[in-house]
Amino acid sequence: LYRLMTSPEGFQLIDPLSDPADFAKYKQRFRWARGRLEVAEAHAPLPALFSPREFCVLNAFDDGRRTFVSKSVQHASMPG
């Protein structure tokens, strides 16, 4: 179940409005002893009256503890 939920297909289960192909892309990836870290662009669609939100996130996958954490961050690829 952990592997499914931390895959692009699993992310779509969490966020049905998303496109799984977007979750397969990342700006930077790091390996660490417990799993992986990924810096990725995130999109938050909003109702038609509002502009969609775009931001950068750091996703941390701790395979040993089966934990996934996502935090918005600043990254040189997306200034501002």
Side-chain angles (χ1 to χ4, degrees):
L1 184 60
Y2 172 76
R3 291 203 189 276
L4 170 65
M5 296 309 290
T6 58
S7 71
E9 295 78 18
F11 291 152
Q12 188 179 31
L13 292 173
I14 295 168
D15 182 4
L17 298 176
S18 65
D19 180 357
D22 290 340
F23 291 116
K25 302 173 195 169
Y26 51 88
K27 296 191 171 290
Q28 203 166 3
R29 179 180 256 181
F30 305 93
R31 295 280 177 200
W32 64 304
R34 299 189 134 164
R36 68 187 192 275
L37 302 170
E38 295 176 351
V39 176
E41 188 174 330
H43 304 271
L46 296 174
L49 297 174
F50 301 97
S51 299
R53 301 291 183 239
E54 295 180 354
F55 49 98
C56 195
V57 294
L58 173 65
N59 296 322
F61 304 89
D62 185 333
D63 298 334
R65 294 185 179 176
R66 295 184 177 186
T67 303
F68 164 68
V69 178
S70 183
K71 172 74 173 117
S72 60
V73 295
Q74 289 188 336
H75 190 264
S77 66
M78 295 181 71

